[in-house]
Amino acid sequence: MIKSHKMTNPISQNRVVISGVGSRVPEKILTNDELAGMVDTSDEWIKTRTGISERRIAGSHETTSDMAAGAALAALENGKTDASEIDLLIVATISPDTAMPATACYVQEKAGLKNAMCFDMAAACSGFVYALDIAYQYILTGAAKKVMVVGADKMSALINWQDRTTCVLFGDGAGAVILEQGKGKSLGIMASSMKSDGSQASILHIEAGGAAMPLTPENITEGKQYITMEGSVVFKSAVRSMSEIAEEALAKAGLSSSEIAWLVPHQANKRILTAVAEKLGISMERVVINLEKYGNTTAGSIPLALDQAVNDGRIKDGDYILFVAFGAGATWGATVLQWGRE
Ligand code: ACO
């Protein structure tokens, strides 16, 4: 299924901008050397094949909604926004606190977003860009005024810690942004393209725990509640899809890759990001990368990287920014925007 659109704004003078950004990661650090004491791997293998040195791991009582609410509160503070002003909350996650209700409802309560309509977005590593696209549409139509979009995942709960092919890749974390109509000082969101291909569902999935295969003692013993992945297939599909969708979104925005100040990609694997940047003709100095410290935080990864690059001064008003992601589904998408809070 393909959905893409040129962002022609029906409310012509109004633009949709990111007016606040925040993040939250757990305190506990798990290093490659510690992992090497748990499975047959090494710091050198993980660094060379993925670029990851360490990741954050949530405590047993620290949930996806706790991290999401922490990121949302940080975004409210950063955007000088009162919690009561948020009228829509979308939480992108593939590791919900519970199967029912939506994790967004827990986040609403924890962050005090009492006037928000709330729902979850399940698009795995693409969840943040998908949710951003929906938020954009709500604001353009006037259905919402201020939207909180959170990407949050506690991947440590979904990983088989005895499977070295997956456990070295992921970490826990959350990032959040507030979207609202801009005052015209920046272009804000300029274009986006989102795609899905359900024929790739089996290359990265969790077999048991849904209604198709409820958990039983037998399938838990077999480890079917955990992520399984065909790593090299995912790798190739990610490189091809991320570069193609980024080109498509750039064309819609009327920009060339040389005009992009910062590529803020989903933090999957440094080799994936290097290949995508090369295909796009974007030098690595213009790619925001934090995966060496956080690993792949799934829906949390783009807003977490964005928060760091905004708050350390790398991203400046007027910069053209490109988000691009690929994840389970398969789902993928790209967003082009001009940075600026007004
Ligand atoms: N430590 C040591 N050896 C390992 C490890 C490990 N952690 N994991 C796999 N190996 C071994 C394999 O068993 C294999 O051994 P063999 O040759 O004896 O069979 C060897 O290393 C090479 O394995 P490959 O899978 O070919 O290694 P590759 O270079 O493809 O790297 C990786 C594997 C890192 C998983 C890579 O394929 C990848 O990053 N894929 C994308 C995965 C991803 O990002 N998933 C996240 C969700 S989707 C997304 O975010 C885009």
Side-chain angles (χ1 to χ4, degrees), residues 41 45 49 125 164 168 204 229 231 266 268-269 271 296 326:
T41 191
W45 192 96
R49 300 292 183 114
C125 301
R164 68 177 184 174
V168 302
L204 179 55
M229 179 181 71
H266 165 54
N269 178 325
R271 286 157 55 217
N296 180 348
F326 177 89

Side-chain angles (χ1 to χ4, degrees), residues 39-42 45-46 49-50 125 164-166 168-170 204 229-235 238 242 266-269 271-272 296 326-328:
V39 288
D40 182 14
T41 191
S42 65
W45 192 96
I46 302 170
R49 300 292 183 114
T50 73
C125 301
R164 68 177 184 174
T165 67
T166 52
V168 302
L169 300 173
F170 296 98
L204 179 55
M229 179 181 71
E230 292 177 43
S232 59
V233 179
V234 172
F235 190 104
M242 287 168 84
H266 165 54
Q267 310 284 311
N269 178 325
R271 286 157 55 217
I272 292 178
N296 180 348
F326 177 89

Side-chain angles (χ1 to χ4, degrees), residues 5 39 41 58 103 132 138 140 142 145 153 157 171 197 203 216 226 230 248 271 304 318 323 342:
H5 44 84
V39 288
T41 191
T103 298
L132 207 59
Y138 262 82
L140 275 197
K145 286 200 159 35
D153 270 301
D197 175 9
I203 63 173
T216 61
Y226 297 126
E230 292 177 43
E248 192 177 300
R271 286 157 55 217
L304 174 58
F323 298 148
E342 295 188 344

Side-chain angles (χ1 to χ4, degrees), residues 2 18 120 140 147 158 173 183 189 213 246 249 258 285 288 315:
I2 296 178
I18 293 177
D120 285 2
L140 275 197
V147 185
L158 308 181
K183 299 189 175 110
I189 292 178
M213 190 188 284
S258 63
E285 294 77 50
V288 176
I315 292 180

